């Protein structure tokens, strides 16, 4: 199985901060990576797919980059509604796997 | 607008089975590929398997092979996930989600159900 390791697991930041979350794959996954945001008690919401393509309707402060084994999700200016947990997911080989999550909390 | 609406919360005894439904609307169900993902309390996301309703073909995560059965009924635009031999570790929220295919490869999960809490307790 392909392991996805996110760092950090927990992040404390302030409104307006630039935030970067990393997702490292245990083997080459090309660009078959998606990012999701999950608020407590809700289903995940798609942010980015194909490593860097912004899903329609998602604010442009979110961006993704990377390929192969190293990926990043960047929030250019953190907003109050961005405090949530973020997951990466690979879809290149079964079983499709997710990172363990990064919880972004208010400083 | 595509919507996936799941059945309500369940409480089950260890050793029993649970069947969760996921009804789709707002699109063409036969063109979907529906996945099941679970999330134990305070934990991450775990993919269980998927089905292509128009073909009835399934893929399951090895971890759940033999215990999970995913089916679909095109006449009602509904997908089902049945998990058997339940144990306390199966207590989780179960989500259905649609996966998008681009250029012949799967890309991302764009629509999700609201989740169904399954509690396994004696």
């Amino acid at each position: 199985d392909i392991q996805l390791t996110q760092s950090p697991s927990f992040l404390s930041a302030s409104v307006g901060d630039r935030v970067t979350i990393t997702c490292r794959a245990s083997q080459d996954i090309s660009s078959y990576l998606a990012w999701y945001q999950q608020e407590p008690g809700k289903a995940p919401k798609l942010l980015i797919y194909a490593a860097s393509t912004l899903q329609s309707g998602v604010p442009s402060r979110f961006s993704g980059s990377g390929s192969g084994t190293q990926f990043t999700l960047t929030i250019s200016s953190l907003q109050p509604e961005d405090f949530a947990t973020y997951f990466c997911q690979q879809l290149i080989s079964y079983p499709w796997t997710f990172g363990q999550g990064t919880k972004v909390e208010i400083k | 607008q595509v919507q996936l609406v799941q059945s309500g919360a369940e409480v089950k005894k260890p050793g029993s089975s649970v069947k969760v439904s996921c009804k789709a609307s707002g699109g063409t169900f036969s063109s979907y590929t529906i996945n099941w993902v679970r999330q134990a309390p305070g934990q991450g996301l775990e993919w269980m398997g998927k089905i292509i309703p128009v073909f009835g073909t399934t893929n399951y995560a090895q971890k759940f092979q033999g215990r999970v059965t995913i089916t679909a009924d095109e006449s009602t635009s509904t997908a089902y996930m049945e998990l058997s031999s339940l144990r306390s570790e199966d207590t989780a929220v179960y989500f259905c989600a649609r996966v998008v295919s681009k250029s012949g490869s799967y890309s991302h999960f764009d629509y999700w159900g609201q989740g169904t809490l399954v509690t396994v307790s004696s």
Side-chain angles (χ1 to χ4, degrees):
Chain A
D1 297 3
I2 296 175
Q3 309 299 321
L4 296 179
T5 304
Q6 290 182 230
S7 59
S9 295
F10 175 85
L11 189 160
S12 182
S14 302
V15 172
D17 283 354
R18 181 182 181 88
V19 165
T20 298
I21 299 168
T22 297
C23 178
R24 180 175 298 156
S26 60
Q27 61 191 76
D28 189 341
I29 60 170
S30 184
S31 296
Y32 290 89
L33 189 99
W35 288 97
Y36 302 88
Q37 175 193 66
Q38 188 180 33
E39 297 176 47
K42 293 191 175 181
K45 172 190 170 186
L46 176 68
L47 299 175
I48 302 280
Y49 63 91
S52 61
T53 303
L54 191 68
Q55 170 70 350
S56 175
V58 174
S60 59
R61 63 181 179 273
F62 291 93
S63 64
S65 65
S67 67
T69 62
Q70 192 91 359
F71 302 85
T72 59
L73 172 70
T74 300
I75 309 172
S76 60
S77 178
L78 203 61
Q79 297 302 300
E81 59 269 31
D82 300 337
F83 292 95
T85 301
Y86 295 83
F87 295 94
C88 56
Q89 179 199 24
Q90 63 83 17
L91 295 98
I92 196 170
S93 72
Y94 298 120
W96 293 338
T97 49
F98 294 85
Q100 83 279 11
T102 296
K103 188 173 184 179
V104 178
E105 290 201 342
I106 302 173
K107 197 171 195 177
Chain B
Q1 178 76 346
V2 174
Q3 270 199 309
L4 301 176
V5 179
Q6 299 181 222
S7 49
E10 303 261 13
V11 179
K12 294 291 181 179
K13 299 284 190 192
S16 67
S17 298
V18 68
K19 192 170 186 177
V20 181
S21 67
C22 171
K23 184 172 176 62
S25 63
T28 306
F29 185 70
S30 59
S31 69
Y32 294 178
T33 296
I34 297 293
N35 296 262
W36 289 90
V37 175
R38 77 177 186 180
Q39 187 171 39
Q43 301 301 308
L45 300 164
E46 185 171 35
W47 180 77
M48 301 177 69
K50 77 178 205 315
I51 187 167
I52 305 174
V54 68
F55 300 122
T57 54
T58 54
N59 293 91
Y60 298 124
Q62 182 77 13
K63 174 177 179 177
F64 300 101
Q65 199 88 27
R67 272 211 311 145
V68 69
T69 304
I70 298 174
T71 57
D73 182 344
E74 284 192 85
S75 68
T76 59
S77 300
T78 303
Y80 300 90
M81 185 284 300
E82 184 169 23
L83 188 62
S84 62
S85 302
L86 289 170
R87 36 212 188 224
S88 58
E89 310 89 89
D90 294 319
T91 294
V93 175
Y94 291 77
F95 294 101
C96 61
R98 186 182 79 164
V99 65
V100 173
S101 176
K102 286 189 176 292
S103 303
S105 297
Y106 292 107
S107 174
H108 53 276
F109 291 6
D110 60 348
Y111 290 100
W112 294 68
Q114 81 278 17
T116 297
L117 175 62
V118 175
T119 303
V120 183
S121 174
S122 55

